[in-house]
Amino acid sequence: MIEFQQVGKSFHGQAVVDDFSLAIAPGEFVVLIGRSGSGKSTTLKMVNRLVEHDRGRILFAGQEIRAFQPEDLRRRMGYAIQSTGLFPHWTVERNIACVPELLKWPAARIRDRVTELLELLQLPPDVYRRRYPHELSGGQQQRVGVARALAADPDVLLMDEPFGALDPITREALQLEMRRIHRLSGKTIVLVTHDIEEALRLGSRVVLLDHGRIVQAGTPRQLLAEPASDLVRDFIGRADLGLRLLALDTVASRMRPGPIEPNNAPALRDTDSLREALSTLIARGTSQLPVADATGTLCGLLHLSDLVQPSA
């Protein structure tokens, strides 16, 4: 879908991205992460030609991106940023509809698409369609920004620190929303963040950059279990490696299945992460808790000792 071949970019003679090579397959959720100045945002902006690369090649759908007119390329790539960039004097509906209108979609199709996206982002259309950005919370504005980026059904969704300005609770809710949208839509998503928790939670593949070069690329589990260097270990957080590995697995993967006699102990959910389960076990001062499935039926037990067993 997207391929970087030895790409480079310099500003004022200083290399910001250097010898960058990466292939992103259709349907992947790739997260670019690194410290400030690592080149991650510049790399993202080169994909839709907001920044032009100096060296190497960037392919989109098998063609060099310079074979496309910039406006044609951008219409095939949704773009969501931290500030949302919503037009303040336009309603939510018109903000979402702006790209389909530029593409001259029929009015009925545009209205249906706005309704579909508001429902997908859990913003009831009858409530939010006619509101203005100043009438929305920060999290709601960010949802509308994502809806606008998805409006023309793009091949790729590019996201540059989209949740960086939000409070932790709203941020986590929107991260879960993006995982759900990715699962339902199968879109190729490339997201930039400086937050390792966000990267590990969202990415099917995480690419860590330093001084414009790839330090390590792999699944969240690969980065946590097999860090390629001390720089990777330090960025992830040496003291947090074990806890972050627990966050990748669910209670269902470690519980001891079997019929459980009901008691007064609140149950863990089988979809909880093992990290959440550990926190609950410690907070309740117990070495085991029952586990319930989606219907609320008790289906097993999780012991504290189960959390230190290697994953399958």
Side-chain angles (χ1 to χ4, degrees):
M1 174 63 73
I2 302 169
E3 186 174 356
F4 297 83
Q5 298 177 348
Q6 297 178 299
V7 172
K9 177 66 185 178
S10 298
F11 292 109
H12 310 295
Q14 180 70 40
V16 177
V17 177
D18 188 22
D19 196 28
F20 185 93
S21 295
L22 180 72
I24 300 172
E28 270 200 285
F29 197 140
V30 172
V31 179
L32 304 179
I33 189 166
R35 295 173 292 193
S36 296
S38 62
K40 55 190 185 295
S41 288
T42 299
T43 299
L44 187 79
K45 290 174 182 175
M46 287 192 293
V47 176
N48 64 359
R49 296 186 63 185
L50 287 176
V51 172
E52 297 284 0
H53 57 291
D54 298 332
R55 301 174 296 280
R57 304 175 74 219
I58 303 175
L59 306 182
F60 172 62
Q63 295 187 63
E64 223 287 338
I65 59 171
R66 288 186 174 130
F68 300 90
Q69 290 296 320
E71 58 272 20
D72 294 335
L73 186 69
R74 290 167 195 158
R75 286 169 184 166
R76 296 180 64 178
M77 297 180 180
Y79 188 55
I81 57 177
Q82 183 179 127
S83 63
T84 73
L86 299 179
F87 297 105
H89 302 302
W90 287 6
T91 63
V92 165
E93 178 162 34
R94 192 173 177 197
N95 266 287
I96 297 172
C98 62
V99 176
E101 286 175 351
L102 286 172
L103 296 175
K104 301 188 184 306
W105 285 19
R109 183 185 176 192
I110 292 174
R111 183 174 177 81
D112 288 346
R113 182 62 172 163
V114 170
T115 299
E116 176 187 6
L117 288 168
L118 287 173
E119 290 174 345
L120 181 68
L121 273 298
Q122 299 185 353
L123 295 169
D126 292 343
V127 176
Y128 290 97
R129 186 187 297 274
R130 295 178 181 83
R131 289 192 180 178
Y132 289 86
H134 72 271
E135 298 176 300
L136 306 178
S137 69
Q140 290 166 346
Q141 289 182 28
Q142 200 64 61
R143 280 181 159 87
V144 175
V146 172
R148 185 175 63 181
L150 290 168
D153 197 22
D155 300 312
V156 174
L157 179 59
L158 306 176
M159 309 185 79
D160 194 354
E161 301 266 13
F163 313 131
L166 301 175
D167 64 87
I169 294 175
T170 304
R171 184 180 184 128
E172 184 173 354
L174 281 175
Q175 289 168 354
L176 293 173
E177 201 68 25
M178 283 312 305
R179 285 175 58 179
R180 185 177 68 90
I181 289 170
H182 180 246
R183 185 177 67 251
L184 291 173
S185 69
K187 294 287 183 193
T188 304
I189 301 177
V190 187
L191 180 141
V192 163
T193 185
H194 64 274
D195 183 341
I196 187 62
E197 294 277 5
E198 183 166 90
L200 297 173
R201 182 177 290 128
L202 292 178
S204 55
R205 193 155 48 120
V206 178
V207 180
L208 176 59
L209 302 179
D210 185 54
H211 294 98
R213 287 177 171 263
I214 296 175
V215 178
Q216 186 170 356
T219 65
R221 191 178 302 279
Q222 286 171 332
L223 263 70
L224 289 169
E226 304 166 18
S229 66
D230 285 342
L231 188 151
V232 178
R233 289 186 186 89
D234 290 339
F235 194 91
I236 292 170
R238 292 172 185 264
D240 296 326
L241 283 173
L243 290 174
R244 286 176 171 153
L245 274 168
L246 286 177
L248 300 180
D249 289 315
T250 64
V251 167
S253 69
R254 301 280 183 92
M255 74 175 187
R256 305 179 188 189
I260 304 297
E261 291 295 326
N263 57 37
N264 293 327
L268 298 166
R269 295 171 299 182
D270 61 357
T271 54
D272 288 342
S273 75
L274 293 177
R275 183 172 179 171
E276 292 170 325
L278 176 62
S279 178
T280 302
L281 285 163
I282 292 172
R284 293 179 185 166
T286 182
S287 62
Q288 65 180 50
L289 279 172
V291 178
D293 62 19
T295 67
T297 303
L298 296 178
C299 57
L301 273 177
L302 184 74
H303 289 244
L304 188 60
S305 61
D306 297 332
L307 301 182
V308 296
Q309 301 301 317
S311 57

